[in-house]
């Protein structure tokens, strides 16, 4: 049974700022905040997916800050959004934040007037209420869609669910965060470059692996890096470019790099790219760029790439780069 519950409103109690106590409480407090924020954001995302609309995680944190400060000053629990409360509110027809104001008023009346009514309530009844509320937000169909769309993300979801059931909520969340960070590091350090070809009758250039009908040009390799160029990705991109050159048939003597996907290049990547360009030039392979963003080109200018390649070999469109290559090639074909 629940038993006697204290009634009335809590009293203001200023905390004792004891450094030793704070150091002892900090790890547990951080864990509680992590679990609470993860649950709050999960509930908000689930509600947004079902009811529509957007959420702002930063705004959620801004709201949690002062609410938890006030709760702490009055000896209250951690203030976060709750999956079960969100589910109950949605099932009851809540559509706006006015539902929270109504809930706050009823909580106030319960604390002041109604606590004796809960004395004989069994704990399993409270558990059943929470379980029934959580079932409203469960969505097994989403896991099936996740499996069909991306097996790696489904694997992360399955591991986190198993971790929470076996290791506990906190360890399961920590496991999910660690796996997500590892996946992020892997994907950013293993970008997928692509050899491009021109679609028949169009100016568009697409990945030849996905568009076998795309036309390539004998002697010219049009290559697109898979993302930003920085210290963790430039080695992989350099390997892919050289592999594409080796696989080209007949061997390409000209490289046109489509830099549309490159929003950022750091100093390490700039130096490595300059070294690769010099190596290719020593083998008789020319290099040109297309669709380079202003910030990226500025870094290439400072890094010496523009001086080696030549400003005339920076083109606004891939088509311009192809035409410039064809113009240079035409005199060599004439008797």
């Amino acid at each position: 049974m629940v038993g006697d519950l204290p009634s009335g409103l809590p009293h203001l109690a200023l905390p004792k700022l004891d450094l030793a106590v704070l150091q002892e409480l900090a790890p547990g407090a951080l864990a509680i905040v992590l679990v609470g924020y993860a649950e709050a954001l999960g509930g908000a995302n689930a509600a947004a997916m079902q009811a529509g609309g957007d959420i702002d995680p930063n705004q959620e944190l801004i709201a949690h800050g002062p609410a938890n400060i006030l709760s702490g000053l009055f000896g209250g629990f951690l203030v976060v959004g709750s999956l079960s409360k969100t589910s109950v509110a949605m099932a009851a027809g809540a559509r706006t934040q006015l539902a929270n104001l109504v809930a706050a008023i009823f909580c106030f009346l319960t604390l002041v007037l109604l606590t004796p009514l809960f004395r004989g309530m069994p704990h399993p009844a409270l558990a059943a209420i929470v379980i029934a509320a959580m079932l409203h937000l469960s969505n097994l169909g989403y896991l099936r869609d996740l499996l069909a769309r991306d097996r790696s993300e489904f694997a992360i979801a399955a591991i986190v669910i198993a971790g929470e059931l076996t290791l506990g909520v906190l360890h399961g969340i920590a496991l999910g965060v660690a796996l997500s960070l590892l996946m992020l590091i892997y994907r950013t350090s293993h970008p997928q470059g692509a050899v491009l070809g021109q679609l028949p009758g169009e100016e568009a250039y697409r990945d030849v692996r996905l568009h076998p009908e795309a036309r390539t040009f004998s002697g010219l390799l049009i290559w697109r890096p898979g993302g930003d160029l920085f210290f963790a990705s430039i080695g992989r991109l350099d390997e892919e470019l050289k592999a594409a050159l080796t696989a080209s048939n007949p061997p390409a003597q000209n490289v046109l790099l489509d830099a549309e996907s490159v929003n950022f290049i750091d100093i390490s990547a700039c130096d490595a790219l300059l070294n690769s360009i010099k190596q290719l030039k020593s083998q008789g392979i020319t290099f040109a760029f297309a669709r380079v963003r202003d910030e990226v080109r500025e870094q290439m200018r400072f890094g010496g790439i523009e001086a080696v390649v030549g400003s005339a070999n920076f083109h606004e469109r891939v088509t311009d780069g192809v035409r410039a290559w064809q113009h240079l090639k035409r005199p060599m074909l004439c008797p």
Side-chain angles (χ1 to χ4, degrees):
M1 298 298 178
V2 172
D4 292 328
L5 293 175
S7 61
L9 296 178
H11 302 286
L12 177 65
L14 296 178
K16 296 180 180 179
L17 301 179
D18 188 338
L19 184 59
V21 175
L22 292 178
Q23 290 178 345
E24 186 176 353
L25 292 178
L30 182 61
I32 292 173
V33 169
L34 177 63
V35 173
Y37 181 66
E39 182 182 10
L41 203 59
N45 278 319
M49 291 176 62
Q50 291 194 11
D54 299 320
I55 64 170
D56 184 354
N58 290 330
Q59 194 64 35
E60 295 290 329
L61 280 175
I62 292 173
H64 288 171
N68 279 287
I69 291 174
L70 289 175
S71 177
L73 291 176
F74 286 89
F77 285 106
L78 180 72
V79 180
V80 294
S82 168
L83 284 170
S84 58
K85 287 183 289 186
T86 300
S87 179
V88 169
M90 292 179 63
R95 292 295 180 268
T96 69
Q97 294 179 348
L98 184 62
N100 293 326
L101 181 60
V102 174
I105 293 173
F106 276 95
C107 284
F108 170 78
L109 295 176
T110 301
L111 283 173
V112 175
L113 303 173
L114 304 179
T115 52
L117 299 179
F118 296 92
R119 182 181 297 111
M121 177 177 287
H123 281 293
L126 295 176
I129 293 173
V130 174
I131 292 172
M134 291 298 295
L135 290 177
H136 178 72
L137 280 181
S138 61
N139 187 358
L140 296 179
Y142 175 74
L143 291 177
R144 290 196 299 268
D145 293 341
L146 198 62
L147 176 61
R149 293 162 59 186
D150 193 322
R151 292 188 176 182
S152 61
E153 293 196 17
F154 173 81
I156 292 178
I159 292 173
V160 170
I161 292 174
E164 295 212 358
L165 293 176
T166 57
L167 304 176
V169 175
L170 178 59
H171 294 88
I173 291 176
L175 179 62
V177 172
L179 289 176
S180 298
L181 288 176
L182 289 175
M183 182 65 70
L184 174 64
I185 293 172
Y186 177 81
R187 287 179 174 174
T188 55
S189 60
H190 290 74
Q192 298 296 319
V195 177
L196 304 184
Q198 186 178 18
L199 295 180
E202 299 182 27
E203 189 180 334
Y205 292 82
R206 295 292 184 264
D207 187 349
V208 296
R209 291 174 299 183
L210 303 178
H211 298 271
E213 74 279 9
R215 181 171 69 98
T216 58
F217 301 88
S218 178
L220 174 66
L221 174 67
I222 307 175
W223 190 75
R224 181 182 64 200
D228 295 333
L229 305 179
F230 63 106
F231 67 93
S233 65
I234 188 61
R236 172 78 175 185
L237 293 172
D238 184 58
E239 292 176 1
E240 288 189 344
L241 175 57
K242 292 178 179 178
L245 282 170
T246 303
S248 61
N249 187 23
Q253 296 300 313
N254 304 270
V255 175
L256 177 61
L257 191 146
D258 178 12
E260 182 190 22
S261 61
V262 180
N263 298 304
F264 168 76
I265 181 171
D266 68 0
I267 295 177
S268 298
C270 196
D271 293 342
L273 181 59
L274 177 61
N275 184 55
S276 296
I277 293 173
K278 290 181 178 179
Q279 289 181 3
L280 294 177
K281 290 192 68 174
S282 67
Q283 300 171 14
I285 300 175
T286 62
F287 213 93
F289 291 92
R291 301 197 288 186
V292 181
R293 301 179 187 272
D294 292 339
E295 298 82 359
V296 176
R297 184 168 180 179
E298 192 71 13
Q299 290 296 324
M300 289 182 175
R301 183 180 297 115
F302 290 145
I305 293 178
E306 184 173 321
V308 173
V309 174
S311 59
N313 290 318
F314 281 79
H315 306 283
E316 291 296 327
R317 302 178 303 168
V318 176
T319 300
D320 296 335
V322 173
R323 289 175 179 173
W325 167 76
Q326 290 173 336
H327 179 74
L328 292 176
K329 181 182 178 182
R330 191 175 297 114
M332 294 185 293
L333 298 177
C334 295

